[in-house]
Amino acid sequence: LERKLGAIFTPYLGHVAEHVVMALRYTEGRVKKGGKKGRKRKAGGNSEDNDNKNSDNQLECVPRDMARAAVAVVKEWVINDPDHTFDKTRLNRFCNPLVNLLERAVEWSKDDAEYQAFVENELAPCLVAVCAHLEDNNLWKTLNHAVMTKGESPHAKVRYSAVSIIKAFYDKIGEEFLVLLPETVPFISERMEDPDENVESATQELIAMVEKLSGEDLDSYLR
């Protein structure tokens, strides 16, 4: 509905904002589609064990599905928000629940491919859209800092995603985002020494992006 009605629908999202936050934070377990349990068959050689063996294919991951829906809502909200109803107050409510999905998605992703697909196609575009919508370096700082904290994650794919999202911020906002470079330098320096090669490579790409925007060599900052 939000995608179809755009800015007409956006002002009403304020009334359900807390429900969207709750969806981002939802942590309950899985439920079967349709809520029906498999029944034991008496004929045909199919046992209850065989039914249960395939039960994982019939499961919905409720936290995942709610998070994905909430991320989509937030993205459409900021894209279709000419009156800036998604303001500082909204950012303070949504920032951590959104960014924390970088780690929570590890729990409900069946493999690395599913995790990366969610981050690259859904979560990262949402965070970048929020950043671009804010148009205030003090608010950028809040979001930038939240993402950088994920650089301390024990999961390499989370650290990689954090670096990639910071790079996407610079790519989207451009030179104006360089105002946050001083606080980003320690993050870059630490990730340059990351034990994971993919994280280190992503960090080099971030450095290249920053150097392109600033026209300066970052070596003097990183010493």
Side-chain angles (χ1 to χ4, degrees):
L1 184 59
E2 166 68 3
R3 292 177 180 175
K4 293 181 179 180
L5 299 182
I8 297 175
F9 185 69
T10 297
Y12 297 97
L13 287 174
H15 299 291
V16 297
E18 289 304 312
H19 295 283
V20 179
V21 172
M22 289 174 61
L24 291 170
R25 290 175 168 168
Y26 195 79
T27 58
E28 294 299 322
R30 297 176 170 221
V31 296
K32 284 188 178 180
K33 291 184 178 180
K36 296 181 180 179
K37 297 182 178 180
R39 290 180 297 177
K40 186 174 182 179
R41 293 187 178 128
K42 295 182 179 179
N46 294 324
S47 67
E48 184 176 11
D49 288 340
N50 288 331
D51 287 339
N52 291 335
K53 183 177 180 180
N54 295 320
S55 64
D56 284 345
N57 296 325
Q58 303 171 9
L59 294 175
E60 288 180 324
C61 181
V62 178
R64 177 197 63 203
D65 296 342
M66 293 185 70
R68 291 184 65 189
V71 166
V73 167
V74 174
K75 181 184 175 184
E76 294 300 322
W77 185 347
V78 297
I79 289 175
N80 299 287
D81 187 27
D83 296 327
H84 282 258
T85 59
F86 194 99
D87 54 13
K88 178 180 179 179
T89 300
R90 300 295 187 204
L91 176 66
N92 289 337
R93 291 293 294 129
F94 280 87
C95 183
N96 286 335
L98 278 170
V99 174
N100 285 342
L101 289 178
L102 284 171
E103 298 218 63
R104 287 192 50 222
V106 174
E107 302 171 4
W108 40 252
S109 296
K110 66 178 181 291
D111 53 33
D112 288 350
E114 181 178 344
Y115 176 84
Q116 286 304 129
F118 167 70
V119 173
E120 293 177 6
N121 300 329
E122 300 176 61
L123 183 57
C126 175
L127 291 172
V128 171
V130 169
C131 189
H133 176 70
L134 295 172
E135 299 179 347
D136 183 325
N137 57 30
N138 290 319
L139 302 184
W140 290 342
K141 183 175 182 178
T142 298
L143 188 57
N144 190 61
H145 177 75
V147 175
M148 288 194 299
T149 62
K150 300 307 177 184
E152 302 299 324
S153 171
H155 304 287
K157 56 190 169 185
V158 175
R159 302 195 303 274
Y160 173 87
S161 296
V163 174
S164 298
I165 290 170
I166 297 296
K167 176 178 176 287
F169 288 162
Y170 280 94
D171 189 29
K172 179 67 175 180
I173 306 300
E175 292 183 10
E176 293 180 43
F177 209 74
L178 290 172
V179 68
L180 299 183
L181 182 56
E183 72 172 46
T184 308
V185 165
F187 169 81
I188 294 175
S189 181
E190 290 176 4
R191 300 284 62 81
M192 284 179 64
E193 304 296 327
D194 198 281
D196 186 88
E197 292 182 0
N198 291 329
V199 178
E200 184 181 353
S201 177
T203 304
Q204 292 297 336
E205 292 179 7
L206 171 57
I207 291 172
M209 170 65 68
V210 172
E211 290 181 337
K212 178 181 178 180
L213 291 173
S214 65
E216 298 182 25
D217 192 319
L218 285 189
D219 284 347
S220 59
Y221 293 95
L222 297 173
R223 291 173 185 168

